[in-house]
Amino acid sequence: MDSQSGENADQSGGQNVASSGGSTNTNIGPLWNHVEKGVKQDQRGGTTKITCKFCNMIFTGTYSRIRAHLLGNKGQGVEVCNQITRSQQIECQRLEDDYEEFKKNKRINKIPLPCGRV
């Protein structure tokens, strides 16, 4: 583990995968850290030009395609990354699972309502 950045470096010297904390902004998914976000293709939609930091593949899409590309989910309209190692992929999956759990817990916040008439 790199004591300066808090990241795990892959043995092959490839892309680092954050080991804790995930994304610095809790409103976006942690896998955005592993791609470069390019120009938005349309002002109305979320389709963006994306470049993978592992394999340098350029594709267009949204976060769901980034997830499919990095985590190896076939049939999502994007090729699976052929440069990400299995250990990096497992760490990305863990970050994504933690992020999904955070989003789920964030929605559960209950606000008590008054019981009687005002």
Side-chain angles (χ1 to χ4, degrees):
M1 180 178 285
D2 181 359
S3 61
Q4 295 278 336
S5 66
E7 296 181 341
N8 288 333
D10 176 55
Q11 297 295 341
S12 66
Q15 173 73 24
N16 290 337
V17 177
S19 64
S20 64
S23 177
T24 57
N25 182 345
T26 57
N27 292 324
I28 62 169
L31 301 182
W32 279 110
N33 294 330
H34 303 295
V35 298
E36 289 187 25
K37 191 173 183 179
V39 178
K40 202 169 183 180
Q41 300 297 316
D42 186 0
Q43 295 300 324
R44 294 173 286 146
T47 302
T48 304
K49 184 176 178 182
I50 299 162
T51 304
C52 176
K53 290 181 181 179
F54 290 102
C55 68
N56 296 316
M57 179 180 159
I58 299 171
F59 56 97
T60 58
T62 60
Y63 189 72
S64 60
R65 284 202 176 160
I66 294 169
R67 186 172 43 235
H69 177 69
L70 294 176
L71 300 181
N73 301 332
K74 296 179 181 177
Q76 301 294 315
V78 66
E79 289 181 35
V80 172
C81 182
N82 61 4
Q83 295 297 309
I84 191 169
T85 66
R86 184 69 183 136
S87 63
Q88 290 168 326
Q89 197 173 46
I90 290 168
E91 182 63 15
C92 283
Q93 182 66 61
R94 188 191 66 74
L95 291 171
E96 184 64 17
D97 291 345
D98 290 349
Y99 175 65
E100 290 299 321
E101 185 67 23
F102 168 79
K103 285 193 323 185
K104 184 176 109 177
N105 291 337
K106 187 175 173 183
R107 286 190 295 254
I108 295 177
N109 294 342
K110 295 181 182 178
I111 301 171
L113 299 174
C115 296
R117 292 186 139 170
V118 179

